[in-house]
Amino acid sequence: MKVEIKEIIGQIFGIFGLLMFVLSFQCKDSKKLIFVQGIGGMMFFINFLLIGAYGGALFNLTILIRGLLYMKIDGKVWKPVFVEVLFTVAYVYSLTLVKGDILQIVLTTLPYVSLLIMSVLMWKQNGKLIRYFQIATLSPSWLIHNIFNFTLGGILAEILNMISAIVSLVRFKKE
């Protein structure tokens, strides 16, 4: 199995994306946190694009837009609706790019459905439910996607996301 240079570069971008997300947890300011996570999202966009996981690439762009829109929860219903439409457009377009590859269709569908639900949960701002959903559904769907598309940064990011959510739930339970 020959590894192409674009795949190696893609993996490097995935590792940088992972590092940006880990660094973002050190940000005390919300805007700085969103900015650093935005950089991480762009790194993962490039990572997924270079390894040929187009759904993951397009979803990361939409996640970046969602982050910018959700920075201020102001009750405007058009925001979550717009995000759901963007995820659906990204999903449909990515399906045209995989040209009937059943495995890629399934691997793209898993995070798509989870992202739709997570966007609603984030809008409702129920932190406990968000963390449970992260552990039980969102991260596992991305983890499966990332394992089959082999993105080391993405695999490690989802493992860390699940650990972080578990630690958070344990901490909140003690308080």
Side-chain angles (χ1 to χ4, degrees), residues 38-52:
I39 293 170
M42 290 306 296
M43 296 290 161
F44 276 117
F45 165 73
I46 296 167
N47 165 240
F48 286 122
L49 197 62
L50 290 174
I51 66 170

Side-chain angles (χ1 to χ4, degrees), residues 4-174:
E4 292 184 31
I5 189 74
K6 76 175 189 170
E7 292 173 356
I8 294 170
I9 293 170
Q11 294 296 337
I12 292 169
F13 273 99
I15 298 295
F16 279 120
L18 169 66
L19 292 174
M20 289 295 102
F21 280 110
V22 169
L23 284 174
S24 75
F25 294 122
Q26 304 307 312
C27 298
K28 292 183 181 178
D29 178 76
S30 308
K31 290 184 183 195
K32 194 179 285 186
L33 178 126
I34 299 247
F35 177 75
V36 174
Q37 285 195 343
I39 293 170
M42 290 306 296
M43 296 290 161
F44 276 117
F45 165 73
I46 296 167
N47 165 240
F48 286 122
L49 197 62
L50 290 174
I51 66 170
Y54 303 113
L58 295 171
F59 292 153
N60 271 280
L61 279 181
T62 305
I63 290 168
L64 177 60
I65 294 167
R66 178 183 67 192
L68 294 172
L69 288 174
Y70 283 20
M71 275 177 65
K72 181 179 179 190
I73 301 290
D74 52 14
K76 294 183 179 172
V77 178
W78 69 267
K79 288 181 178 183
V81 171
F82 181 67
V83 168
E84 301 290 300
V85 168
L86 284 178
F87 276 128
T88 301
V89 168
Y91 173 69
V92 170
Y93 184 63
S94 67
L95 292 183
T96 66
L97 295 173
V98 297
K99 299 175 177 62
D101 180 341
I102 299 299
L103 179 60
Q104 282 302 318
I105 291 170
V106 171
L107 292 175
T108 303
T109 302
L110 288 171
Y112 165 68
V113 172
S114 295
L115 286 167
L116 291 177
I117 297 167
M118 180 59 97
S119 291
V120 172
L121 294 175
M122 288 174 72
W123 185 254
K124 300 258 183 204
Q125 295 182 303
N126 183 333
K128 192 173 187 179
L129 195 53
I130 287 170
R131 287 171 182 85
Y132 280 123
F133 188 75
Q134 179 82 40
I135 296 163
T137 307
L138 184 65
S139 282
S141 69
W142 272 109
L143 188 57
I144 292 166
H145 175 275
N146 295 344
I147 288 170
F148 277 94
N149 284 296
F150 191 70
T151 168
L152 188 56
I155 293 167
L156 293 173
E158 291 312 322
I159 291 169
L160 289 174
N161 280 339
M162 287 189 285
I163 292 169
S164 175
I166 291 167
V167 168
S168 177
L169 285 169
V170 170
R171 278 185 45 221
F172 289 140
K173 196 170 194 168
K174 288 182 180 179

